[in-house]
């Protein structure tokens, strides 16, 4: 299994760092795996055991442990189980960091005995070390359990859905001085991707104080906090009077910003309307109506580029990634990266190699999603 390979490579790397000489050779076939021992299930039926554990059954394979529990069939590599021991000698509970050297784990390790006590499995390893695993912990940390788990629950919306929801804004003083105000803001932001704070004094200092209440402020080529207007003081369309279509910001960063805070300090004349779109809602529409296009947008990396030569500002930044970024284990969308202004050309040879995999209607849906995405559920305040 992959855990064996990872541990093997880590062990070899450790030997290299120590200056050892390694002789690479083809792995000899494991005849025990070619002719495995008979495998039988262990079922729990005793009435004295809690009801949760009564639904537990397991069987030992040559290289992994199979568990049936909580309506889920899970498979755990023995190396992974030994490496994730949470005993005092293997794990520092104060720092939440591993003490055990993964490279020291025998790649062919198997437990000598396994027993269940209430809702805890006890593994005794060949050296006598005992590891305990809570059944719910195994479900939570299993690959099969992760596939069923949503990292961040969301409410997807369009204009009609959001207006009907009547999501309340938060008063600045309540937001700044009370945990309840902060909690209300964070709930709105995490569920809808946008949240509003009212009655903020129109100064950069108060905007900064608000932002620091949420999280640390990230340093960028523009600074931590910056003021902009249509004076073309920076080489970006945002500093002009031209209209900006729907887009996500900082696509040219290797890690685009997760939260953005906007505060209109002064407005004179006409125009300057704010357009907010839930890109996650648009992406869900693509997934339902054209799953092939969704897969394409989540797998093909695009290059976004920012080139600036204005005054004393000289910057050239490139960020690469797909339009839709998803977790590979559960296909959950967590980030949208699109800005047609910043998107670089697609290499002709590269695009030609993908041509056989692109349905005819892909370009239509590419335009649809790119025109309706929002920055990592960005917060516009």
């Amino acid at each position: 299994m992959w855990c064996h390979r990872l541990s093997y490579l880590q062990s070899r790397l450790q030997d290299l760092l120590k200056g050892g000489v390694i002789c690479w050779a083809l792995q000899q076939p494991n005849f025990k795996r070619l002719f495995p021992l008979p495998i039988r299930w262990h079922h729990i039926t005793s009435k004295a055991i809690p009801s949760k554990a009564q639904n537990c059954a397991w069987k030992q394979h040559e290289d992994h442990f199979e568990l049936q529990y909580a309506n889920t069939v899970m498979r755990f590599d023995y190396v992974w189980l030994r490496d994730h021991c949470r005993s005092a000698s293997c794990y520092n509970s104060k720092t939440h960091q591993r003490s055990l050297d993964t490279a020291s784990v025998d790649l062919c390790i198997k437990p000598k005995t396994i027993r269940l006590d209430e809702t805890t499995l006890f593994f005794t390893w060949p050296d006598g070390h005992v590891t305990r695993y809570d059944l719910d912990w195994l479900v939570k940390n299993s690959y099969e359990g992760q596939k069923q788990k949503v990292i961040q629950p969301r409410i997807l919306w369009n204009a009609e859905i959001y207006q009907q929801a009547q999501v309340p804004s938060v008063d600045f003083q309540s937001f700044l001085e009370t945990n309840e105000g902060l909690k209300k803001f964070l709930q709105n932001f995490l569920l809808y991707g946008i949240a509003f704070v009212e009655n903020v004094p129109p100064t950069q200092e108060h905007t900064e104080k608000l932002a620091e209440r949420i999280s640390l402020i990230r340093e960028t080529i523009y600074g931590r906090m910056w003021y902009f207007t249509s004076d073309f003081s920076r080489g970006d369309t945002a500093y002009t009077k031209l209209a900006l279509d729907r887009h996500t910001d900082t696509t040219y960063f290797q890690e685009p910003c997760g939260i953005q805070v906007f505060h209109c300090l002064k407005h004179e004349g006409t125009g300057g309307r704010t357009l907010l779109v839930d890109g996650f809602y648009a992406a869900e529409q693509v997934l339902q109506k054209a799953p092939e296009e969704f897969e394409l947008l989540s797998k093909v990396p695009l290059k976004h580029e920012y080139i600036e030569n204005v005054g004393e500002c000289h910057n050239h930044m490139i960020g690469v990634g797909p339009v839709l970024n998803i977790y590979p284990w559960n296909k959950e969308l967590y980030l949208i990266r699109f800005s047609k202004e910043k998107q670089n050309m697609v290499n002709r040879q590269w695009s030609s190699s993908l041509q056989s995999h692109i349905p005819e209607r892909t370009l239509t849906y590419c335009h649809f999603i790119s025109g309706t995405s929002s920055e990592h559920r960005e917060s516009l305040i």
Side-chain angles (χ1 to χ4, degrees), residues 83-123:
D83 187 47
H84 285 76
C85 177
R86 290 300 187 256
S87 66
S89 61
C90 298
Y91 185 77
N92 189 327
S93 59
K94 292 183 179 180
T95 62
H96 302 284
Q97 294 175 337
R98 180 185 284 103
S99 303
L100 175 68
D101 180 10
T102 302
S104 69
V105 178
D106 183 358
L107 299 183
C108 298
I109 194 169
K110 288 177 58 179
K112 290 176 61 179
T113 63
I114 301 174
R115 66 178 179 88
L116 178 69
D117 183 5
E118 295 186 349
T119 59
T120 303
L121 280 167
F122 291 84
F123 279 59

Side-chain angles (χ1 to χ4, degrees), residues 186-205:
L186 292 175
Q187 284 178 333
N188 292 340
F189 170 69
L190 291 173
L191 284 175
Y192 292 94
I194 58 173
F196 297 89
V197 178
E198 292 185 337
N199 303 316
V200 183
T203 68
Q204 182 169 316
E205 292 71 26

Side-chain angles (χ1 to χ4, degrees), residues 81-248:
L81 287 168
R82 182 63 187 90
D83 187 47
H84 285 76
C85 177
R86 290 300 187 256
S87 66
S89 61
C90 298
Y91 185 77
N92 189 327
S93 59
K94 292 183 179 180
T95 62
H96 302 284
Q97 294 175 337
R98 180 185 284 103
S99 303
L100 175 68
D101 180 10
T102 302
S104 69
V105 178
D106 183 358
L107 299 183
C108 298
I109 194 169
K110 288 177 58 179
K112 290 176 61 179
T113 63
I114 301 174
R115 66 178 179 88
L116 178 69
D117 183 5
E118 295 186 349
T119 59
T120 303
L121 280 167
F122 291 84
F123 279 59
T124 301
W125 302 103
D127 61 357
H129 183 82
V130 177
T131 303
R132 53 190 296 169
Y133 305 98
D134 183 80
L135 292 175
D136 290 330
W137 184 90
L138 288 173
V139 174
K140 179 181 177 182
N141 292 281
S142 69
Y143 178 78
E144 294 81 4
Q146 290 291 325
K147 287 173 64 177
Q148 303 172 16
K149 182 181 177 182
V150 176
I151 303 298
Q152 175 56 57
R154 298 181 175 91
I155 296 177
L156 306 182
W157 51 270
N158 56 18
E160 182 180 359
I161 294 173
Y162 190 80
Q163 289 171 358
Q164 291 179 352
Q166 296 184 336
V167 183
S169 58
V170 182
D171 180 74
F172 177 66
Q173 290 302 322
S174 174
F175 170 83
L176 212 59
E177 299 173 1
T178 70
N179 289 334
E180 185 61 32
L182 177 62
K183 179 181 178 181
K184 184 179 177 182
F185 170 87
L186 292 175
Q187 284 178 333
N188 292 340
F189 170 69
L190 291 173
L191 284 175
Y192 292 94
I194 58 173
F196 297 89
V197 178
E198 292 185 337
N199 303 316
V200 183
T203 68
Q204 182 169 316
E205 292 71 26
H206 284 89
T207 309
E208 184 173 5
K209 188 179 295 186
L210 180 148
E212 289 176 335
R213 176 76 162 140
I214 304 171
S215 181
L216 298 174
I217 301 176
R218 182 175 175 179
E219 188 68 58
T220 72
I221 59 173
Y222 305 103
R224 295 174 72 251
M225 300 283 298
W226 64 92
Y227 176 87
F228 67 92
T229 187
S230 55
D231 59 0
F232 202 60
S233 58
R234 300 296 298 266
D236 194 289
T237 309
Y239 288 78
T240 70
K241 295 182 179 180
L242 299 174
L244 289 173
D245 201 353
R246 290 150 289 195
H247 66 282
T248 68

Side-chain angles (χ1 to χ4, degrees), residues 55-67:
N55 298 322
C56 172
W58 77 84
K59 61 181 177 181
Q60 290 179 250
H61 295 267
E62 186 65 24
D63 60 352
H64 70 280
F65 175 72
E66 187 172 348
L67 174 67

Side-chain angles (χ1 to χ4, degrees), residues 243-263:
L244 289 173
D245 201 353
R246 290 150 289 195
H247 66 282
T248 68
D249 284 334
T250 62
T251 55
Y252 42 86
F253 287 6
Q254 283 297 341
E255 182 183 357
C257 294
I259 303 175
Q260 284 191 280
V261 178
F262 287 90
H263 187 193

Side-chain angles (χ1 to χ4, degrees), residues 275-334:
L275 174 64
L276 302 176
V277 178
D278 185 2
F280 283 55
Y281 175 88
E284 180 64 22
Q285 297 298 307
V286 175
L287 178 61
Q288 296 300 324
K289 298 176 181 178
E292 290 181 345
E293 280 79 355
F294 183 94
E295 183 179 7
L296 184 73
L297 291 170
S298 66
K299 288 186 175 180
V300 178
L302 297 177
K303 182 165 70 174
H304 292 79
E305 190 172 23
Y306 180 77
I307 302 175
E308 178 182 34
N309 287 295
V310 175
E312 298 181 356
C313 301
H314 304 282
N315 295 291
H316 188 179
M317 301 182 68
I318 297 175
V320 179
V323 174
L324 305 178
N325 296 257
I326 61 176
Y327 295 122
W329 56 86
N330 65 354
K331 308 302 181 183
E332 179 183 349
L333 179 64
Y334 68 88

